């Protein structure tokens, strides 16, 4: 007797729901809407590993040397903070349909990220603009503040993001005219 096992592929999630989380289209976003992410604890080993690979400066690599720098102690690379911010946004902080697709922005780091910091991201929609030339999308301007456990802002990211719209037949009339 021969047994045949048929493999069935797992169903592909609908684009507006990924891993049980609803993904938002342009029509779902309004100025002032806020989102908060989960948290990430950063330690000295993570800081040094990232710096060793991507930003090998003494204040990111060596505790003793870092004491004599502007940072007066070990500090994460701003790019490391940015990478953690992106992961937090993607996994839990900004559930956009189509992913987080950037179309420009600005970033700054008002305070250093230190070993032991517990980071989270708080984002707020600042502007929603349906595209006049591409009816399938629009842009949103989002201010995302990465904060530590003392609620100090360690990074500010203002990003212009491309966000898909629902099918034209499902778009409320006030947006379809945009």
């Amino acid at each position: 007797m021969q047994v045949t096992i048929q493999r069935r592929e797992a169903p592909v999630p609908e684009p507006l729901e990924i891993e049980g989380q609803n993904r938002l289209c342009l029509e779902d976003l309004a100025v002032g809407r806020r989102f908060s992410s989960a948290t990430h604890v950063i330690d000295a080993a993570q800081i040094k590993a990232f710096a060793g690979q991507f930003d090998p400066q003494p204040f990111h690599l060596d505790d003793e040397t870092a004491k004599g720098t502007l940072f007066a102690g070990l500090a994460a690379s701003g790019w490391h903070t940015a990478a953690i911010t992106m992961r937090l946004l993607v996994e839990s902080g900004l559930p956009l349909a189509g992913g987080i697709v950037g179309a420009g922005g600005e970033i700054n780091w008002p305070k250093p990220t230190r070993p032991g910091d517990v980071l989270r991201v708080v984002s707020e929609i600042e502007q929603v603009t349906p595209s006049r030339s591409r009816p399938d999308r629009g842009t949103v301007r989002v201010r995302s503040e990465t904060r530590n456990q003392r609620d100090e802002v360690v990074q500010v990211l203002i990003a212009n993001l491309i966000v898909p719209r629902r099918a034209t037949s499902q778009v409320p009339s006030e947006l379809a005219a945009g």
Side-chain angles (χ1 to χ4, degrees):
M1 174 177 182
Q2 185 177 7
V3 177
T4 304
I5 299 173
Q6 274 188 314
R7 291 185 155 222
R8 292 185 356 185
E9 292 188 28
V12 177
E14 291 297 315
L16 299 181
E17 186 175 318
I18 298 172
E19 296 176 8
Q21 184 179 20
N22 286 330
R23 297 294 175 163
L24 304 174
C25 291
L26 192 71
E27 296 80 11
D28 302 315
L29 303 171
V31 171
R33 185 161 184 188
R34 295 175 63 101
F35 302 88
S36 293
S37 75
T39 60
H40 175 87
V41 178
I42 189 168
D43 61 29
Q46 291 173 44
I47 290 170
K48 292 174 184 179
F50 183 94
Q53 191 168 9
F54 300 108
D55 191 355
Q57 299 186 74
F59 37 81
H60 302 319
L61 291 168
D62 183 81
D63 299 68
E64 283 306 309
T65 305
K67 289 178 185 175
T69 69
L70 170 74
F71 296 106
L74 191 67
S77 166
W79 300 114
H80 190 184
T81 302
I84 292 167
T85 297
M86 186 65 181
R87 180 158 189 169
L88 289 171
L89 287 172
V90 168
E91 290 185 348
S92 65
L94 200 55
L96 300 178
I100 298 175
V101 180
E106 61 184 72
I107 190 168
N108 65 65
W109 300 280
K111 289 184 115 15
T113 298
R114 304 285 189 182
D117 277 353
V118 180
L119 303 178
R120 67 185 169 84
V121 184
V122 177
S123 299
E124 183 173 346
I125 305 297
E126 292 188 331
Q127 184 176 19
V128 179
T129 309
S131 174
R132 294 183 186 277
S133 61
R134 296 185 176 216
D136 64 332
R137 67 189 76 169
T139 59
V140 294
R141 185 175 66 225
V142 181
R143 177 185 178 92
S144 295
E145 294 182 348
T146 306
R147 298 173 174 265
N148 64 21
Q149 69 280 6
R150 292 176 298 282
D151 212 32
E152 298 168 331
V153 177
V154 296
Q155 178 182 288
V156 177
L157 170 65
I158 308 232
N160 299 309
L161 304 175
I162 299 169
V163 181
R165 294 173 78 175
R166 286 192 177 76
T168 307
S169 63
Q170 299 173 5
V171 176
S173 59
E174 66 274 8
L175 287 178

